[in-house]
Short mmCIF file of all heavy atoms in Angstrom, two decimals:
data_model
loop_
_atom_site.label_atom_id
_atom_site.label_comp_id
_atom_site.label_asym_id
_atom_site.label_seq_id
_atom_site.Cartn_x
_atom_site.Cartn_y
_atom_site.Cartn_z
N HIS A 77 30.80 -35.39 -12.25
CA HIS A 77 30.45 -34.30 -13.16
C HIS A 77 29.75 -33.23 -12.33
O HIS A 77 28.52 -33.12 -12.37
CB HIS A 77 29.55 -34.79 -14.29
CG HIS A 77 30.16 -35.85 -15.14
ND1 HIS A 77 31.11 -35.60 -16.11
CD2 HIS A 77 29.96 -37.20 -15.15
CE1 HIS A 77 31.47 -36.73 -16.70
NE2 HIS A 77 30.78 -37.72 -16.12
N PRO A 78 30.50 -32.45 -11.51
CA PRO A 78 29.86 -31.43 -10.69
C PRO A 78 29.44 -30.23 -11.54
O PRO A 78 30.23 -29.72 -12.35
CB PRO A 78 30.96 -31.05 -9.69
CG PRO A 78 32.24 -31.40 -10.37
CD PRO A 78 31.96 -32.52 -11.31
N LEU A 79 28.19 -29.81 -11.36
CA LEU A 79 27.65 -28.71 -12.15
C LEU A 79 27.16 -27.60 -11.24
O LEU A 79 26.63 -27.85 -10.16
CB LEU A 79 26.48 -29.21 -13.01
CG LEU A 79 26.76 -30.35 -14.01
CD1 LEU A 79 25.47 -30.73 -14.72
CD2 LEU A 79 27.83 -29.94 -15.01
N ASP A 80 27.36 -26.36 -11.68
CA ASP A 80 26.70 -25.23 -11.02
C ASP A 80 25.24 -25.21 -11.43
O ASP A 80 24.86 -25.73 -12.50
CB ASP A 80 27.38 -23.92 -11.42
CG ASP A 80 28.80 -23.81 -10.88
OD1 ASP A 80 29.07 -24.42 -9.82
OD2 ASP A 80 29.63 -23.15 -11.53
N PHE A 81 24.43 -24.59 -10.62
CA PHE A 81 23.00 -24.53 -10.94
C PHE A 81 22.77 -23.70 -12.22
O PHE A 81 23.43 -22.68 -12.44
CB PHE A 81 22.21 -23.95 -9.77
CG PHE A 81 22.14 -24.87 -8.59
CD1 PHE A 81 22.58 -24.46 -7.34
CD2 PHE A 81 21.65 -26.16 -8.75
CE1 PHE A 81 22.51 -25.32 -6.26
CE2 PHE A 81 21.57 -27.03 -7.66
CZ PHE A 81 22.01 -26.61 -6.42
N GLU A 82 21.82 -24.21 -13.01
CA GLU A 82 21.41 -23.61 -14.27
C GLU A 82 22.55 -23.57 -15.29
O GLU A 82 22.49 -22.80 -16.25
CB GLU A 82 20.82 -22.21 -14.05
CG GLU A 82 19.59 -22.25 -13.13
CD GLU A 82 18.85 -20.93 -13.07
OE1 GLU A 82 18.81 -20.24 -14.10
OE2 GLU A 82 18.32 -20.62 -12.00
N GLN A 83 23.57 -24.42 -15.08
CA GLN A 83 24.65 -24.57 -16.06
C GLN A 83 24.30 -25.70 -17.01
O GLN A 83 24.20 -26.85 -16.61
CB GLN A 83 25.97 -24.90 -15.35
CG GLN A 83 27.10 -25.27 -16.29
CD GLN A 83 28.31 -25.85 -15.57
OE1 GLN A 83 28.38 -25.80 -14.34
NE2 GLN A 83 29.24 -26.40 -16.33
N ARG A 84 24.08 -25.39 -18.25
CA ARG A 84 23.71 -26.40 -19.24
C ARG A 84 24.94 -27.21 -19.61
O ARG A 84 26.01 -26.64 -19.86
CB ARG A 84 23.13 -25.71 -20.47
CG ARG A 84 22.38 -26.62 -21.41
CD ARG A 84 21.64 -25.76 -22.41
NE ARG A 84 20.94 -26.55 -23.39
CZ ARG A 84 20.15 -26.03 -24.32
NH1 ARG A 84 19.99 -24.69 -24.38
NH2 ARG A 84 19.51 -26.79 -25.18
N ALA A 85 24.82 -28.53 -19.61
CA ALA A 85 25.99 -29.39 -19.88
C ALA A 85 25.58 -30.57 -20.73
O ALA A 85 24.42 -30.99 -20.74
CB ALA A 85 26.60 -29.86 -18.56
N ASN A 86 26.57 -31.10 -21.46
CA ASN A 86 26.36 -32.31 -22.25
C ASN A 86 27.26 -33.39 -21.67
O ASN A 86 28.49 -33.29 -21.75
CB ASN A 86 26.69 -32.06 -23.72
CG ASN A 86 26.22 -33.22 -24.60
OD1 ASN A 86 26.76 -34.31 -24.53
ND2 ASN A 86 25.21 -32.96 -25.42
N ILE A 87 26.66 -34.40 -21.07
CA ILE A 87 27.40 -35.46 -20.41
C ILE A 87 26.94 -36.78 -21.00
O ILE A 87 25.75 -37.11 -20.98
CB ILE A 87 27.15 -35.44 -18.89
CG1 ILE A 87 27.56 -34.09 -18.29
CG2 ILE A 87 27.90 -36.59 -18.20
CD1 ILE A 87 27.15 -33.91 -16.85
N ARG A 88 27.89 -37.52 -21.55
CA ARG A 88 27.55 -38.79 -22.21
C ARG A 88 26.44 -38.58 -23.25
O ARG A 88 25.51 -39.37 -23.36
CB ARG A 88 27.08 -39.84 -21.20
CG ARG A 88 28.18 -40.53 -20.43
CD ARG A 88 27.58 -41.80 -19.85
NE ARG A 88 28.51 -42.58 -19.06
CZ ARG A 88 28.24 -43.77 -18.58
NH1 ARG A 88 27.05 -44.32 -18.79
NH2 ARG A 88 29.12 -44.44 -17.86
#
Side-chain angles (χ1 to χ4, degrees):
H77 300 283
L79 302 178
D80 292 331
F81 290 124
E82 300 190 35
Q83 172 191 349
R84 195 169 178 176
N86 191 291
I87 302 171
R88 281 198 181 187

